[in-house]
Every structure is written in C-alpha cells, then in structure tokens.
Amino acid sequence: MIIIRSVLILRQPYTCHKSKLNMAAAFVLIQNRRQLRRERVFRDRNNPLDYMDDVDIIDKFRLPRFLILDLCGELRVHLEHLTGRSHAIPLSLQVMVALRFYASGNFQAVNGDVHGISKASVSRIVNTVTSALVTLSPNYVRFPRDDRSINDTILGFSRISNFPNVIGAIDGTHIPIKAPKDDEHLFVNRKNFHSINVMAVCDASLKFTNLVARWPGSSHDAFVWTNSTLCDLFESGGMNRGWLLGDSAYPLKKYLLTPVLNPSNPHEEAYNEAHARTRNPIERSFGVLKMRFRCIDHSGEHFSFIRQEHAESLQLVRFYICVLITMYQHHAHRTPGEIDLFRQTTMCIKAQITMGWRFVED
C-alpha cells in the first residue's frame, strides 16, 4: 500500500506538467486559427418566384405574384445593390424573405434555411425592406382630404346601412410584445398581456387611411385618439366634412359618433344597429390583417420576443403590413385575367386561410 502511494506521488508532477503543455498547445492552435482568414461559404439560394406556382406563393407569402413583382419595382431604388460584389442578395429574394417572415412569423434562422441565406442576412433584409416600405406609406395610407375622395368614402359607407356622411371607422387593437425592462407595468393591457395599443381608421373597402402605433398597451383608446394628429385636424377645423364612427370607448364629439349606451326607443335602437353595421369594416380589417400576416396575431405569439426597446421596429412592422394590404387593394383594378386567376387560387387555399381573403371575394 505504501509502495503504490509513493508511485502516485512520483507521477503527479509529470501529469501536471503534461496537462499544462496540452493547454498551451491548444491555446497556440486557437490563436493561429484566429489569424487565418476563414474562407467564406456561399450557399445555394432559393428564390420562390423561380419554382413556385401561384397557389403556393399566395399560401406562403400572402400576396399574389403580380403584386410581389410590382412591389419589387417600387422598392428597387431602396433595395437593389449597385454591383454583384460578395454575392449580393437579389432584390426579389429580399422581398420574398421579408414577406415570408411576416406571413408566418417563423424564427429568422428557419427563414434563412428555407431560402439558403444566413440568419444575419434575414435580420438585415427584414429591417431594410420594412424601412423602405415605410417611406412608401404616405402614397397608400392616406386620409381623404379632397372632395372626390371624401365623396367616394361617404358613398361607400352609405351603401352598407344608409348611414350618411361617414368618412371613416375607428378602433384600436393590441400587438403583443415581450415584457420590457423599463416601465413594464405600462405595457400590460386589460387582457393581462404586454402590448402596444394601435389605433387605425379605415374606409368601407377595408383600406387603412390612418394609423397610430406608439402607445403602450395600458393606454386607453380615448387617450390614443386625443393625442393623435387626426384628432388635432378635426379639432382645429381642418376637416369640416364627415363623421367618424367609433365604439363606446371613444368620446362623443360633433365629428365622432358613438353608439347610444342605453337605447330607450325604436329610433335609438335603429341608430345603434346602423352604427354597428357601418362601423363593422374596421373590425373586419383587423381580422383580415391578423389572419393574413400571423406574425402580429396574439394567438401565435410570434412577436412576443420583441422588447420595448425595439418598439420603433414594431411600429415599422405595423406600418409595413398595413402598407402591403393597402397596396393590394390599390392594385385591385388589375386586368380581369389576373383578378380571375387570383380568385381561383384563393378558393383553392380557402380551407387554410378562412378569413384572410374573404373581402376579395365580396
């Protein structure tokens, strides 16, 4: 027993010295590897426009092929690279990557694997495409100001339930976010999850005409409205025609009509019924928006990883999605052949998207 213990004691210094040599050799090897220039690997990229048919494109990207191509044309100035240096990602692939992310809400790594690009590239593409679309938003998200657009809006609402002089339906919706570090309690809404309260106004054809996306979830709808530019426009007399229709959360104004809380006669009941039917487009527009782009739907919680310090990005995302839907509606006057093809493809995937395209068929 004494002999074995002596042998172990004699071998211990040799073992420690060998271990130190191995650690030193590993350190030198790591340093040499860092000094060597790693060869870049360019993976094969898959552009869905090259191999997908129209049904698959609508199913996976929520927009028809002709509108995606038009979108590429409008974003060319902002996204197209001047040269093909370092295997620059093509314009059409950038648009498709961003559409896929917002249509499905998948993690960026998964989106990158589908299209053959890195996670970092997906992150940069989503931010770049979103910022580019925000620059286009004034061309599509516009409140009616001239006589022709006001008359068209009033006529569209009057066809629903003969409610006269209506130029917009207003409501709010909540976009979920991750609990922020600062002022966390301000972002907890009445449904007990963290969100940003987004106010929107639309017309009878579900086109968004105004948007406010900058207040925490605990903010009341009336507060968001009072602190909006549109409210200042009506209060200052800059908009002296038409009425907005809102629910009971909004204050009753000469330009903002709300339902009668306790109707006591047939006339008030008839007013409430006409008010609800005429204001219904804003509820439908939110449903269409969240069903078409599931990344902002609370049921999927795809945006729950966004923190409050990234709230500016969330506002861009909201603008981005509203711009896309409004762009589709502005392009609804395309040739009959394109519209018929689009309707046929939407009927094929109606089982998967139960609400997202219903207003198109109407």
Side-chain angles (χ1 to χ4, degrees), residues 77 97 99 112 119 131 158 171 179 183 205 219-220 266 294 299 333:
V77 178
V97 168
L99 286 175
K119 175 183 175 182
S131 300
S158 64
D171 200 3
D183 298 327
S205 59
S219 302
H220 195 271
R294 298 308 295 266
S299 61
H333 61 275

Side-chain angles (χ1 to χ4, degrees), residues 4 43 57-58 60 68 104 145 179 201 226 243 270-271 343:
I4 296 174
R43 295 182 291 178
I57 287 179
I58 295 176
K60 293 179 172 59
I68 293 176
S104 63
R145 297 295 302 274
V201 180
T226 304
W243 301 324
Y271 164 80
R343 287 180 175 175

Side-chain angles (χ1 to χ4, degrees), residues 195-337:
S195 68
I196 289 181
N197 191 357
V198 178
M199 185 195 78
V201 180
C202 77
D203 60 12
S205 59
L206 310 189
K207 295 178 184 177
F208 289 99
T209 58
N210 188 265
L211 185 71
V212 178
R214 63 190 183 94
W215 295 104
S218 62
S219 302
H220 195 271
D221 290 348
F223 174 84
V224 177
W225 160 253
T226 304
N227 291 273
S228 65
T229 305
L230 187 61
C231 177
D232 295 337
L233 178 65
F234 277 93
E235 288 288 345
S236 62
M239 193 71 188
N240 52 15
R241 286 189 60 189
W243 301 324
L244 294 175
L245 299 185
D247 57 20
S248 57
Y250 293 94
L252 178 62
K253 301 284 186 178
K254 61 181 180 180
Y255 52 81
L256 178 56
L257 303 183
T258 60
V260 178
L261 294 181
N262 298 307
S264 57
N265 56 63
H267 299 289
E268 293 180 349
E269 293 178 356
Y271 164 80
N272 278 358
E273 182 179 357
H275 183 282
R277 289 171 56 88
T278 309
R279 201 187 71 88
N280 181 258
I282 187 63
E283 304 286 353
R284 293 163 55 204
S285 65
F286 286 143
V288 169
L289 185 65
K290 293 185 177 183
M291 289 299 294
R292 185 177 299 175
F293 297 98
R294 298 308 295 266
C295 59
I296 62 171
D297 186 23
H298 179 65
S299 61
E301 298 185 358
H302 297 305
F303 265 1
S304 60
F305 59 87
I306 291 186
R307 297 178 179 272
Q308 186 271 336
E309 50 264 33
H310 300 144
E312 182 179 357
S313 299
L314 184 60
Q315 295 174 31
L316 297 180
V317 167
R318 184 66 182 186
F319 255 118
Y320 164 87
I321 295 173
C322 292
V323 166
L324 287 178
I325 287 187
T326 310
M327 284 183 64
Y328 166 75
Q329 293 166 336
H330 274 269
H331 286 74
H333 61 275
R334 304 283 296 204
T335 61

